[in-house]
Amino acid sequence: MTPPSTQPSGYDDRLAKKQIQFEHIKDLWIFLASLLAFLTVIRILRLLLRLFILSRRVNYVEPLEPEKHDVESTTSTIKTRVNSPIYRLQSAIATTFRIVAFRWSIPIGPGSFASISELTFIFGYMAAMFLWLFLDTRNLKATFYQARAAHLASCQLPLIIALAGKNNLISWMTGIGHEKLNILHRASARTNFIFLWIHTITRTLSGISGRTSFRHNWMRAGAVGMAALTLMNILSLRPVRNMAFEFFLICHIVLVLIFLFASYYHAQIALAGSYIWPALFVWGLDRFIRLVRVIWNNSTFRRKGDPSQSLATVKLLSEDTIIMSLKRQDFSWAPGQHAYVILPTVSKLPFEAHPFTMASISEKLDGTFSKGQARDVVFFVKGCNGFTKRLRDHGVGTVPAYVDGPYGCPPDLCEYATCILVAGGSGISYTLSLFLNLIRENARGKSAVRRILFVWAFRDESYLSWLSKTMTEALSHAKCSLSIELRMYLTAPSTKTSSSNASIASEKDGHSAVKTTTVVSPTEYHPSLKLVHGRPNIHRVLHDEIAACTNGGSISVDDGELMIAPDSCWTSGFDGSRATCPLLRCRCTSSCVKRTPVRHSSR
Ligand SMILES: Cc1cc2nc3c(=O)[nH]c(=O)nc-3n(C[C@H](O)[C@H](O)[C@H](O)COP(=O)(O)OP(=O)(O)OC[C@H]3O[C@@H](n4cnc5c(N)ncnc54)[C@H](O)[C@@H]3O)c2cc1C
């Protein structure tokens, strides 16, 4: 027989509270670790699948003018495959999933959107947190969740800080870039904020006296931490970030440090400081890696005595657009990645760093490697009101420059049969580097891509001479098996081309019934550049591409944003929540795409 307990029931409650608290924190971390493991496995499977698809498709060379016999036999094979109910069901499910998860987006604040997949993660995380907060609370007794709210919130601090870091384990494991993880950083940080306020309010309601009075330093530290956290949350709201990003950033870092140190001091009384110092460690590690990267990318000994490698060359493409180029020894990046640029003589603060996407690729277009050679890092910068305005005002010349990067996890498009790259304004940095890489991989025989449609909408005609030069070089390396179409949409009235001796054609836009005048290949630019006056009708462009996939080819558009913002600043929606640079990857089953390729005329 169990001897009757000699302890008061309050003691049992405290013991139970501690045990449940510990169990719930453990369960929460098991849940999050499982999610991370799941995403990592998905990534590995995708990489393996990609290798498999690539190895199958790379050797497939689409016949340019297929023999009648070939067409008939291929058509019947395709028809059998496409008409198979299992194939159709599988395609329908995959396409529906992609559309719902990645394409549908819902406004979550002024100028801020989240896709269904992002919202699933956000609400899933919040639901898990609240579930473990209120579970086993003996009819929602505040004493049971008052301390637990603080413990659950504190144990999440390392994760919240990791989600904000440029160098973080989560990106490396899942392949999700830091700029996309930022939305989860904000969601988890705000959940944490709510939890700490639940802790503060319930503690205040239960009475602040004796051991918990403000005569004690640990209680004062708690109040300081809460004040810093609250101010930080107010200053992190989008309007503040949009209006004064540098002010937000400095306040954020200072307030985070105050919050972490004060919380550590406060939590130590409950022996919970061990939740907080790992957060400081994660933050310090990210800063340390960034510092090492900056030193490594810009160090004198790697420049091999070339002083030009410490400078950036600035050219004005138009009155508000800058081409900034740097030379860097052995600095390499994947197409579509970005880097943080520090220009101490242009910025107001010595360590002010701004992200820009490399508009060039780090290896040579002809498929060879540039090991040991200086690479051209080119940025296409749209002038806004702060740092970029000062850079624009600086004008043509050279400036001391440092780069920190590369960052981001852009997609590899080589496995697709057809790629449609769509950009507006400065979004071209992203699509141009992907385009150049496809040409390079094609030259190396490592790409399954047979057709590229490159669409760019822009306002200033002067951009064309820059692009024409880049395209001329790129197209000279493309193999005959690659069909390339370059469609440029000039959204502002033309000043030059209408007076040029280019041939003029008219194009009736089927959907909007807007008549646009097309200037086909103005003579001063590369003959492949097709210039259209007006805005692109993306649906029409896609429709035409799908129609060109005769014989029932399957096309799905994934991972992109159907948004064209040629007149707006890139970050109007790129601050972690939405990429304004649209990328459409069309997965055409290569065996079922039979078209007459539009040849680029460099061949
Ligand atoms: C991953 C990524 C890649 C980008 N690539 C390009 C590119 O190739 N070409 C290009 O022209 N622009 C690009 N941008 C946008 C560019 O970083 C901003 O336009 C630039 O930092 C604005 O500086 P500013 O002081 O002139 O801006 P402001 O006029 O002060 O602000 C304009 C907008 O930029 C945002 N912003 C300001 N500073 C930063 C910063 N350090 N980090 C993030 N957002 C900031 C503000 O929140 C505001 O919404 C990219 C942004 C991101 C996040």
mmCIF file of all heavy atoms in Angstrom, residues 129-130 133 146-155 157 160 189-204 222 225-226 229-230 232-233 259 263 266 276:
data_model
loop_
_atom_site.group_PDB
_atom_site.id
_atom_site.type_symbol
_atom_site.label_atom_id
_atom_site.label_comp_id
_atom_site.label_asym_id
_atom_site.label_seq_id
_atom_site.Cartn_x
_atom_site.Cartn_y
_atom_site.Cartn_z
ATOM 1 N N MET A 129 1.962 25.717 -30.684
ATOM 2 C CA MET A 129 2.374 26.463 -29.486
ATOM 3 C C MET A 129 1.204 26.611 -28.509
ATOM 4 O O MET A 129 1.350 26.361 -27.306
ATOM 5 C CB MET A 129 2.881 27.860 -29.883
ATOM 6 C CG MET A 129 4.244 27.885 -30.531
ATOM 7 S SD MET A 129 5.587 27.636 -29.364
ATOM 8 C CE MET A 129 5.742 29.231 -28.604
ATOM 9 N N PHE A 130 0.038 27.014 -29.033
ATOM 10 C CA PHE A 130 -1.112 27.229 -28.138
ATOM 11 C C PHE A 130 -1.623 25.910 -27.559
ATOM 12 O O PHE A 130 -2.068 25.864 -26.418
ATOM 13 C CB PHE A 130 -2.230 27.992 -28.871
ATOM 14 C CG PHE A 130 -1.994 29.477 -28.851
ATOM 15 C CD1 PHE A 130 -1.492 30.139 -29.957
ATOM 16 C CD2 PHE A 130 -2.243 30.216 -27.696
ATOM 17 C CE1 PHE A 130 -1.246 31.507 -29.928
ATOM 18 C CE2 PHE A 130 -2.002 31.592 -27.657
ATOM 19 C CZ PHE A 130 -1.500 32.237 -28.777
ATOM 20 N N LEU A 133 0.485 25.016 -24.808
ATOM 21 C CA LEU A 133 0.340 25.974 -23.700
ATOM 22 C C LEU A 133 -0.869 25.618 -22.832
ATOM 23 O O LEU A 133 -0.792 25.622 -21.603
ATOM 24 C CB LEU A 133 0.187 27.403 -24.257
ATOM 25 C CG LEU A 133 -0.074 28.484 -23.213
ATOM 26 C CD1 LEU A 133 1.141 28.666 -22.307
ATOM 27 C CD2 LEU A 133 -0.408 29.821 -23.873
ATOM 28 N N GLN A 146 0.873 30.090 -16.663
ATOM 29 C CA GLN A 146 1.576 31.366 -16.485
ATOM 30 C C GLN A 146 3.089 31.225 -16.718
ATOM 31 O O GLN A 146 3.656 31.889 -17.578
ATOM 32 C CB GLN A 146 1.309 31.859 -15.076
ATOM 33 C CG GLN A 146 2.062 33.104 -14.706
ATOM 34 C CD GLN A 146 1.974 33.329 -13.211
ATOM 35 O OE1 GLN A 146 0.878 33.462 -12.681
ATOM 36 N NE2 GLN A 146 3.098 33.343 -12.541
ATOM 37 N N ALA A 147 3.709 30.307 -16.016
ATOM 38 C CA ALA A 147 5.156 30.123 -16.190
ATOM 39 C C ALA A 147 5.438 29.369 -17.484
ATOM 40 O O ALA A 147 6.433 29.620 -18.170
ATOM 41 C CB ALA A 147 5.714 29.355 -15.011
ATOM 42 N N ARG A 148 4.491 28.470 -17.834
ATOM 43 C CA ARG A 148 4.714 27.666 -19.046
ATOM 44 C C ARG A 148 4.799 28.555 -20.291
ATOM 45 O O ARG A 148 5.578 28.295 -21.203
ATOM 46 C CB ARG A 148 3.572 26.658 -19.205
ATOM 47 C CG ARG A 148 3.921 25.545 -20.163
ATOM 48 C CD ARG A 148 2.726 24.704 -20.494
ATOM 49 N NE ARG A 148 2.180 23.995 -19.356
ATOM 50 C CZ ARG A 148 1.032 23.311 -19.417
ATOM 51 N NH1 ARG A 148 0.352 23.259 -20.539
ATOM 52 N NH2 ARG A 148 0.578 22.687 -18.360
ATOM 53 N N ALA A 149 3.980 29.612 -20.320
ATOM 54 C CA ALA A 149 4.007 30.533 -21.472
ATOM 55 C C ALA A 149 5.415 31.103 -21.641
ATOM 56 O O ALA A 149 5.950 31.168 -22.755
ATOM 57 C CB ALA A 149 3.000 31.656 -21.260
ATOM 58 N N ALA A 150 6.031 31.488 -20.510
ATOM 59 C CA ALA A 150 7.378 32.068 -20.580
ATOM 60 C C ALA A 150 8.397 31.019 -21.001
ATOM 61 O O ALA A 150 9.293 31.289 -21.810
ATOM 62 C CB ALA A 150 7.754 32.649 -19.229
ATOM 63 N N HIS A 151 8.225 29.792 -20.469
ATOM 64 C CA HIS A 151 9.189 28.737 -20.808
ATOM 65 C C HIS A 151 9.079 28.354 -22.283
ATOM 66 O O HIS A 151 10.092 28.195 -22.963
ATOM 67 C CB HIS A 151 8.957 27.513 -19.912
ATOM 68 C CG HIS A 151 9.547 27.688 -18.550
ATOM 69 N ND1 HIS A 151 10.697 27.060 -18.144
ATOM 70 C CD2 HIS A 151 9.152 28.455 -17.499
ATOM 71 C CE1 HIS A 151 10.981 27.416 -16.902
ATOM 72 N NE2 HIS A 151 10.053 28.264 -16.482
ATOM 73 N N LEU A 152 7.821 28.208 -22.759
ATOM 74 C CA LEU A 152 7.643 27.840 -24.173
ATOM 75 C C LEU A 152 8.205 28.937 -25.084
ATOM 76 O O LEU A 152 8.861 28.653 -26.087
ATOM 77 C CB LEU A 152 6.154 27.626 -24.494
ATOM 78 C CG LEU A 152 5.552 26.285 -24.061
ATOM 79 C CD1 LEU A 152 4.039 26.300 -24.224
ATOM 80 C CD2 LEU A 152 6.129 25.133 -24.881
ATOM 81 N N ALA A 153 7.945 30.191 -24.709
ATOM 82 C CA ALA A 153 8.434 31.307 -25.533
ATOM 83 C C ALA A 153 9.964 31.345 -25.523
ATOM 84 O O ALA A 153 10.595 31.488 -26.573
ATOM 85 C CB ALA A 153 7.863 32.622 -25.016
ATOM 86 N N SER A 154 10.554 31.186 -24.338
ATOM 87 C CA SER A 154 12.024 31.287 -24.250
ATOM 88 C C SER A 154 12.707 30.166 -25.014
ATOM 89 O O SER A 154 13.737 30.383 -25.655
ATOM 90 C CB SER A 154 12.492 31.219 -22.804
ATOM 91 O OG SER A 154 11.734 32.073 -22.022
ATOM 92 N N CYS A 155 12.117 28.966 -24.955
ATOM 93 C CA CYS A 155 12.796 27.848 -25.623
ATOM 94 C C CYS A 155 12.763 28.020 -27.139
ATOM 95 O O CYS A 155 13.503 27.354 -27.852
ATOM 96 C CB CYS A 155 12.204 26.515 -25.183
ATOM 97 S SG CYS A 155 10.719 26.055 -26.057
ATOM 98 N N LEU A 157 13.485 30.913 -28.621
ATOM 99 C CA LEU A 157 14.346 32.032 -29.036
ATOM 100 C C LEU A 157 15.463 31.629 -30.007
ATOM 101 O O LEU A 157 15.688 32.327 -31.001
ATOM 102 C CB LEU A 157 14.926 32.734 -27.802
ATOM 103 C CG LEU A 157 13.897 33.550 -27.002
ATOM 104 C CD1 LEU A 157 14.514 34.081 -25.721
ATOM 105 C CD2 LEU A 157 13.362 34.702 -27.835
ATOM 106 N N ILE A 160 13.867 31.336 -33.390
ATOM 107 C CA ILE A 160 13.442 32.628 -33.954
ATOM 108 C C ILE A 160 14.653 33.367 -34.516
ATOM 109 O O ILE A 160 14.605 33.924 -35.615
ATOM 110 C CB ILE A 160 12.737 33.470 -32.861
ATOM 111 C CG1 ILE A 160 11.449 32.767 -32.434
ATOM 112 C CG2 ILE A 160 12.446 34.881 -33.347
ATOM 113 C CD1 ILE A 160 10.802 33.355 -31.199
ATOM 114 N N ALA A 189 8.260 35.101 -34.023
ATOM 115 C CA ALA A 189 8.598 36.164 -33.068
ATOM 116 C C ALA A 189 7.324 36.792 -32.495
ATOM 117 O O ALA A 189 7.264 37.121 -31.310
ATOM 118 C CB ALA A 189 9.442 37.225 -33.756
ATOM 119 N N ARG A 190 6.303 36.926 -33.336
ATOM 120 C CA ARG A 190 5.061 37.540 -32.837
ATOM 121 C C ARG A 190 4.311 36.582 -31.912
ATOM 122 O O ARG A 190 3.674 37.011 -30.944
ATOM 123 C CB ARG A 190 4.203 38.011 -34.013
ATOM 124 C CG ARG A 190 4.759 39.335 -34.536
ATOM 125 C CD ARG A 190 4.315 39.743 -35.886
ATOM 126 N NE ARG A 190 5.191 40.821 -36.374
ATOM 127 C CZ ARG A 190 5.202 41.263 -37.605
ATOM 128 N NH1 ARG A 190 4.411 40.738 -38.502
ATOM 129 N NH2 ARG A 190 6.024 42.236 -37.954
ATOM 130 N N THR A 191 4.409 35.279 -32.194
ATOM 131 C CA THR A 191 3.792 34.297 -31.284
ATOM 132 C C THR A 191 4.501 34.377 -29.926
ATOM 133 O O THR A 191 3.870 34.367 -28.865
ATOM 134 C CB THR A 191 3.941 32.867 -31.864
ATOM 135 O OG1 THR A 191 3.551 32.897 -33.224
ATOM 136 C CG2 THR A 191 3.111 31.855 -31.116
ATOM 137 N N ASN A 192 5.811 34.473 -29.987
ATOM 138 C CA ASN A 192 6.630 34.584 -28.779
ATOM 139 C C ASN A 192 6.230 35.825 -27.972
ATOM 140 O O ASN A 192 6.091 35.779 -26.746
ATOM 141 C CB ASN A 192 8.088 34.663 -29.253
ATOM 142 C CG ASN A 192 9.070 34.874 -28.151
ATOM 143 O OD1 ASN A 192 9.194 35.980 -27.659
ATOM 144 N ND2 ASN A 192 9.764 33.821 -27.764
ATOM 145 N N PHE A 193 5.989 36.905 -28.694
ATOM 146 C CA PHE A 193 5.587 38.177 -28.073
ATOM 147 C C PHE A 193 4.255 37.997 -27.322
ATOM 148 O O PHE A 193 4.106 38.410 -26.165
ATOM 149 C CB PHE A 193 5.465 39.219 -29.196
ATOM 150 C CG PHE A 193 4.986 40.572 -28.762
ATOM 151 C CD1 PHE A 193 5.716 41.336 -27.865
ATOM 152 C CD2 PHE A 193 3.808 41.105 -29.275
ATOM 153 C CE1 PHE A 193 5.278 42.596 -27.480
ATOM 154 C CE2 PHE A 193 3.368 42.362 -28.898
ATOM 155 C CZ PHE A 193 4.106 43.106 -27.996
ATOM 156 N N ILE A 194 3.295 37.309 -27.989
ATOM 157 C CA ILE A 194 1.983 37.072 -27.356
ATOM 158 C C ILE A 194 2.166 36.212 -26.096
ATOM 159 O O ILE A 194 1.608 36.496 -25.036
ATOM 160 C CB ILE A 194 1.017 36.367 -28.350
ATOM 161 C CG1 ILE A 194 0.744 37.272 -29.551
ATOM 162 C CG2 ILE A 194 -0.292 35.971 -27.665
ATOM 163 C CD1 ILE A 194 -0.004 36.590 -30.685
ATOM 164 N N PHE A 195 2.996 35.190 -26.206
ATOM 165 C CA PHE A 195 3.208 34.283 -25.065
ATOM 166 C C PHE A 195 3.827 35.024 -23.882
ATOM 167 O O PHE A 195 3.452 34.820 -22.735
ATOM 168 C CB PHE A 195 4.122 33.113 -25.486
ATOM 169 C CG PHE A 195 3.358 31.941 -26.015
ATOM 170 C CD1 PHE A 195 2.435 32.099 -27.038
ATOM 171 C CD2 PHE A 195 3.540 30.666 -25.492
ATOM 172 C CE1 PHE A 195 1.713 31.034 -27.534
ATOM 173 C CE2 PHE A 195 2.822 29.586 -25.972
ATOM 174 C CZ PHE A 195 1.912 29.768 -26.998
ATOM 175 N N LEU A 196 4.783 35.901 -24.170
ATOM 176 C CA LEU A 196 5.424 36.611 -23.059
ATOM 177 C C LEU A 196 4.463 37.615 -22.425
ATOM 178 O O LEU A 196 4.526 37.857 -21.223
ATOM 179 C CB LEU A 196 6.721 37.270 -23.528
ATOM 180 C CG LEU A 196 7.839 36.252 -23.798
ATOM 181 C CD1 LEU A 196 9.090 36.929 -24.315
ATOM 182 C CD2 LEU A 196 8.176 35.440 -22.549
ATOM 183 N N TRP A 197 3.540 38.138 -23.236
ATOM 184 C CA TRP A 197 2.534 39.022 -22.641
ATOM 185 C C TRP A 197 1.521 38.213 -21.815
ATOM 186 O O TRP A 197 1.043 38.685 -20.786
ATOM 187 C CB TRP A 197 1.840 39.885 -23.713
ATOM 188 C CG TRP A 197 2.542 41.221 -23.819
ATOM 189 C CD1 TRP A 197 3.317 41.660 -24.831
ATOM 190 C CD2 TRP A 197 2.551 42.252 -22.823
ATOM 191 N NE1 TRP A 197 3.832 42.906 -24.557
ATOM 192 C CE2 TRP A 197 3.370 43.300 -23.316
ATOM 193 C CE3 TRP A 197 1.978 42.409 -21.563
ATOM 194 C CZ2 TRP A 197 3.611 44.479 -22.609
ATOM 195 C CZ3 TRP A 197 2.221 43.587 -20.855
ATOM 196 C CH2 TRP A 197 3.024 44.598 -21.377
ATOM 197 N N ILE A 198 1.223 36.979 -22.258
ATOM 198 C CA ILE A 198 0.332 36.113 -21.452
ATOM 199 C C ILE A 198 0.991 35.878 -20.086
ATOM 200 O O ILE A 198 0.362 35.982 -19.034
ATOM 201 C CB ILE A 198 0.075 34.760 -22.174
ATOM 202 C CG1 ILE A 198 -0.778 34.978 -23.422
ATOM 203 C CG2 ILE A 198 -0.590 33.743 -21.229
ATOM 204 C CD1 ILE A 198 -1.046 33.730 -24.245
ATOM 205 N N HIS A 199 2.291 35.621 -20.135
ATOM 206 C CA HIS A 199 3.053 35.403 -18.892
ATOM 207 C C HIS A 199 2.998 36.651 -18.006
ATOM 208 O O HIS A 199 2.704 36.574 -16.805
ATOM 209 C CB HIS A 199 4.499 35.053 -19.265
ATOM 210 C CG HIS A 199 5.450 35.063 -18.116
ATOM 211 N ND1 HIS A 199 5.412 34.120 -17.107
ATOM 212 C CD2 HIS A 199 6.468 35.924 -17.793
ATOM 213 C CE1 HIS A 199 6.367 34.380 -16.227
ATOM 214 N NE2 HIS A 199 7.020 35.472 -16.609
ATOM 215 N N THR A 200 3.236 37.820 -18.627
ATOM 216 C CA THR A 200 3.290 39.073 -17.860
ATOM 217 C C THR A 200 1.928 39.398 -17.242
ATOM 218 O O THR A 200 1.833 39.744 -16.054
ATOM 219 C CB THR A 200 3.731 40.232 -18.790
ATOM 220 O OG1 THR A 200 4.925 39.825 -19.448
ATOM 221 C CG2 THR A 200 3.983 41.521 -18.049
ATOM 222 N N ILE A 201 0.868 39.266 -18.048
ATOM 223 C CA ILE A 201 -0.470 39.642 -17.554
ATOM 224 C C ILE A 201 -0.919 38.695 -16.436
ATOM 225 O O ILE A 201 -1.383 39.137 -15.377
ATOM 226 C CB ILE A 201 -1.488 39.671 -18.723
ATOM 227 C CG1 ILE A 201 -1.149 40.835 -19.664
ATOM 228 C CG2 ILE A 201 -2.924 39.813 -18.214
ATOM 229 C CD1 ILE A 201 -1.888 40.825 -20.979
ATOM 230 N N THR A 202 -0.733 37.385 -16.658
ATOM 231 C CA THR A 202 -1.199 36.437 -15.629
ATOM 232 C C THR A 202 -0.383 36.596 -14.336
ATOM 233 O O THR A 202 -0.919 36.478 -13.242
ATOM 234 C CB THR A 202 -1.119 34.974 -16.128
ATOM 235 O OG1 THR A 202 0.155 34.782 -16.730
ATOM 236 C CG2 THR A 202 -2.205 34.664 -17.123
ATOM 237 N N ARG A 203 0.904 36.902 -14.490
ATOM 238 C CA ARG A 203 1.738 37.124 -13.302
ATOM 239 C C ARG A 203 1.250 38.373 -12.548
ATOM 240 O O ARG A 203 1.101 38.375 -11.323
ATOM 241 C CB ARG A 203 3.211 37.250 -13.738
ATOM 242 C CG ARG A 203 4.159 37.977 -12.849
ATOM 243 C CD ARG A 203 4.348 37.420 -11.466
ATOM 244 N NE ARG A 203 4.912 36.080 -11.403
ATOM 245 C CZ ARG A 203 4.564 35.174 -10.490
ATOM 246 N NH1 ARG A 203 3.633 35.460 -9.598
ATOM 247 N NH2 ARG A 203 5.121 33.997 -10.454
ATOM 248 N N THR A 204 0.949 39.452 -13.300
ATOM 249 C CA THR A 204 0.483 40.699 -12.670
ATOM 250 C C THR A 204 -0.851 40.462 -11.962
ATOM 251 O O THR A 204 -1.057 40.915 -10.827
ATOM 252 C CB THR A 204 0.321 41.808 -13.742
ATOM 253 O OG1 THR A 204 1.501 41.831 -14.527
ATOM 254 C CG2 THR A 204 0.103 43.179 -13.124
ATOM 255 N N GLY A 222 13.077 41.558 -15.898
ATOM 256 C CA GLY A 222 11.940 41.058 -16.684
ATOM 257 C C GLY A 222 11.172 42.211 -17.312
ATOM 258 O O GLY A 222 10.800 42.160 -18.495
ATOM 259 N N GLY A 225 13.154 43.709 -20.139
ATOM 260 C CA GLY A 225 13.084 42.808 -21.298
ATOM 261 C C GLY A 225 11.768 42.976 -22.036
ATOM 262 O O GLY A 225 11.737 43.065 -23.263
ATOM 263 N N MET A 226 10.659 43.048 -21.275
ATOM 264 C CA MET A 226 9.342 43.181 -21.907
ATOM 265 C C MET A 226 9.203 44.525 -22.618
ATOM 266 O O MET A 226 8.615 44.602 -23.700
ATOM 267 C CB MET A 226 8.225 43.041 -20.859
ATOM 268 C CG MET A 226 7.868 41.623 -20.526
ATOM 269 S SD MET A 226 7.601 40.587 -21.962
ATOM 270 C CE MET A 226 6.056 41.199 -22.580
ATOM 271 N N LEU A 229 11.139 44.275 -25.812
ATOM 272 C CA LEU A 229 10.449 43.398 -26.769
ATOM 273 C C LEU A 229 9.248 44.112 -27.395
ATOM 274 O O LEU A 229 9.012 44.024 -28.602
ATOM 275 C CB LEU A 229 9.991 42.119 -26.048
ATOM 276 C CG LEU A 229 9.313 41.082 -26.926
ATOM 277 C CD1 LEU A 229 10.316 40.424 -27.863
ATOM 278 C CD2 LEU A 229 8.637 39.999 -26.089
ATOM 279 N N THR A 230 8.504 44.836 -26.563
ATOM 280 C CA THR A 230 7.312 45.519 -27.069
ATOM 281 C C THR A 230 7.697 46.613 -28.063
ATOM 282 O O THR A 230 7.127 46.706 -29.157
ATOM 283 C CB THR A 230 6.517 46.123 -25.886
ATOM 284 O OG1 THR A 230 6.313 45.089 -24.930
ATOM 285 C CG2 THR A 230 5.190 46.684 -26.319
ATOM 286 N N MET A 232 10.394 46.751 -29.771
ATOM 287 C CA MET A 232 10.955 46.096 -30.960
ATOM 288 C C MET A 232 9.834 45.642 -31.896
ATOM 289 O O MET A 232 9.921 45.801 -33.111
ATOM 290 C CB MET A 232 11.759 44.882 -30.499
ATOM 291 C CG MET A 232 12.452 44.134 -31.582
ATOM 292 S SD MET A 232 13.670 43.069 -30.851
ATOM 293 C CE MET A 232 12.680 41.876 -30.012
ATOM 294 N N ASN A 233 8.754 45.100 -31.328
ATOM 295 C CA ASN A 233 7.645 44.636 -32.162
ATOM 296 C C ASN A 233 6.941 45.794 -32.856
ATOM 297 O O ASN A 233 6.524 45.666 -34.003
ATOM 298 C CB ASN A 233 6.658 43.814 -31.328
ATOM 299 C CG ASN A 233 7.055 42.354 -31.309
ATOM 300 O OD1 ASN A 233 6.687 41.596 -32.195
ATOM 301 N ND2 ASN A 233 7.867 41.970 -30.337
ATOM 302 N N PHE A 259 16.851 42.796 -24.831
ATOM 303 C CA PHE A 259 15.849 41.791 -24.465
ATOM 304 C C PHE A 259 16.522 40.481 -24.032
ATOM 305 O O PHE A 259 16.180 39.904 -22.996
ATOM 306 C CB PHE A 259 14.904 41.561 -25.658
ATOM 307 C CG PHE A 259 14.055 40.341 -25.530
ATOM 308 C CD1 PHE A 259 13.027 40.281 -24.600
ATOM 309 C CD2 PHE A 259 14.287 39.223 -26.330
ATOM 310 C CE1 PHE A 259 12.247 39.136 -24.467
ATOM 311 C CE2 PHE A 259 13.517 38.079 -26.203
ATOM 312 C CZ PHE A 259 12.492 38.034 -25.268
ATOM 313 N N SER A 263 16.369 39.125 -20.337
ATOM 314 C CA SER A 263 15.613 37.878 -20.157
ATOM 315 C C SER A 263 16.478 36.813 -19.511
ATOM 316 O O SER A 263 16.008 36.031 -18.688
ATOM 317 C CB SER A 263 15.123 37.331 -21.496
ATOM 318 O OG SER A 263 14.447 38.294 -22.176
ATOM 319 N N HIS A 266 16.590 37.514 -15.904
ATOM 320 C CA HIS A 266 15.274 37.254 -15.306
ATOM 321 C C HIS A 266 15.022 35.745 -15.207
ATOM 322 O O HIS A 266 14.558 35.243 -14.187
ATOM 323 C CB HIS A 266 14.201 37.915 -16.181
ATOM 324 C CG HIS A 266 12.804 37.658 -15.744
ATOM 325 N ND1 HIS A 266 12.210 38.347 -14.710
ATOM 326 C CD2 HIS A 266 11.864 36.782 -16.194
ATOM 327 C CE1 HIS A 266 10.972 37.919 -14.541
ATOM 328 N NE2 HIS A 266 10.736 36.964 -15.433
ATOM 329 N N ILE A 276 18.107 30.690 -23.174
ATOM 330 C CA ILE A 276 18.364 31.992 -23.795
ATOM 331 C C ILE A 276 19.778 32.122 -24.350
ATOM 332 O O ILE A 276 19.958 32.662 -25.436
ATOM 333 C CB ILE A 276 18.008 33.110 -22.794
ATOM 334 C CG1 ILE A 276 16.489 33.040 -22.570
ATOM 335 C CG2 ILE A 276 18.378 34.495 -23.314
ATOM 336 C CD1 ILE A 276 16.001 33.773 -21.383
#
